[in-house]
Amino acid sequence: MLATWQTDAQAGREYAQEFRILTRQGEVRWVQGRSKPILAENGIVTGHVGTAADLTARKQAGLALQKSEERYRALFESAADGIITSTTEGVITDCNTGLETLLGWSREELKGNHFQKLVPRLCLPQVAAYMKERIAGTSISTVESELVRKDGDSLPVESLLTCLYDDTHQLTGFQVIHRDI
């Protein structure tokens, strides 16, 4: 770190780097150091102005988020129930191995397709009505329906749809858990 700063300082370049420090209390802190050369009229470096910002809270939040995502992914992948995520338009964005096992479709075969590929035509009105109820918040229950396996057979399922929202509470998609009944 010091060598990088010295090289940048001697060349008259701005410097920015993140690094860890050990406080007098023995605590490890993440810091971002920034430095900008002060140049004389003739272009000679006469000094530097710099800042150090404590990034520890941001780094800890990032690590906590990463661990949370890892736990979610492990739960998602290990669930025996089939799980699908989709856009608000119904395009499948992901599914778990439980769904692959239930229906015989691979993740790659399903991603990018509309969820209607998996719903028998006769069940579509029921599924559409259930989705509208869940979006409106008037239903918290599951619905019994059918899904279409890759081999064309129907599979009776109990499904629970969860609406996914962004930080501004805008609907961004759906997650649906399907249980073989």
Side-chain angles (χ1 to χ4, degrees):
M1 173 199 73
L2 186 56
T4 304
W5 177 79
Q6 287 174 336
T7 301
D8 287 348
Q10 289 172 355
R13 292 189 299 257
E14 291 187 24
Y15 165 85
Q17 189 169 355
E18 293 180 6
F19 51 91
R20 292 177 297 173
I21 62 169
L22 186 61
T23 68
R24 288 183 180 158
Q25 295 78 23
E27 182 182 17
V28 175
R29 307 292 292 177
W30 278 95
V31 176
Q32 180 184 48
R34 299 179 68 83
S35 173
K36 183 176 181 178
I38 299 171
L39 304 175
E41 288 183 21
N42 62 3
I44 301 294
V45 177
T46 60
H48 296 273
V49 62
T51 61
D54 187 346
L55 304 177
T56 305
R58 187 182 77 180
K59 289 285 191 177
Q60 289 171 340
L63 288 172
L65 178 61
Q66 180 183 355
K67 286 181 181 181
S68 176
E69 288 172 350
E70 289 169 359
R71 284 191 303 270
Y72 169 79
R73 178 54 64 180
L75 180 62
F76 180 83
E77 288 302 334
S78 65
D81 292 337
I83 304 173
I84 292 176
T85 58
S86 73
T87 65
T88 55
E89 294 79 27
V91 176
I92 298 170
T93 55
D94 202 0
C95 70
N96 71 342
T97 53
L99 189 82
E100 292 177 308
T101 301
L102 283 177
L103 301 182
W105 299 95
S106 73
R107 184 177 311 218
E108 291 73 29
E109 290 173 304
L110 293 176
K111 278 185 170 182
N113 284 289
H114 199 277
F115 80 88
Q116 290 179 352
K117 176 178 185 167
L118 303 177
V119 180
R121 190 170 305 224
L122 293 174
C123 296
L124 286 174
Q126 175 195 16
V127 170
Y130 175 65
M131 289 178 75
K132 286 180 184 176
E133 289 174 4
R134 293 294 289 153
I135 292 168
T138 58
S139 171
I140 58 169
S141 64
T142 58
V143 64
E144 289 186 11
S145 187
E146 293 180 5
L147 293 177
V148 177
R149 294 181 43 81
K150 185 175 181 176
D151 62 13
D153 289 345
S154 289
L155 176 71
V157 292
E158 177 182 61
S159 302
L160 176 64
L161 181 139
T162 302
C163 297
L164 304 175
Y165 297 94
D166 65 15
D167 293 341
T168 64
H169 304 289
Q170 296 295 312
L171 182 66
T172 59
F174 304 101
Q175 177 176 283
V176 187
I177 301 172
H178 301 286
R179 177 166 290 165
D180 182 357
I181 55 173

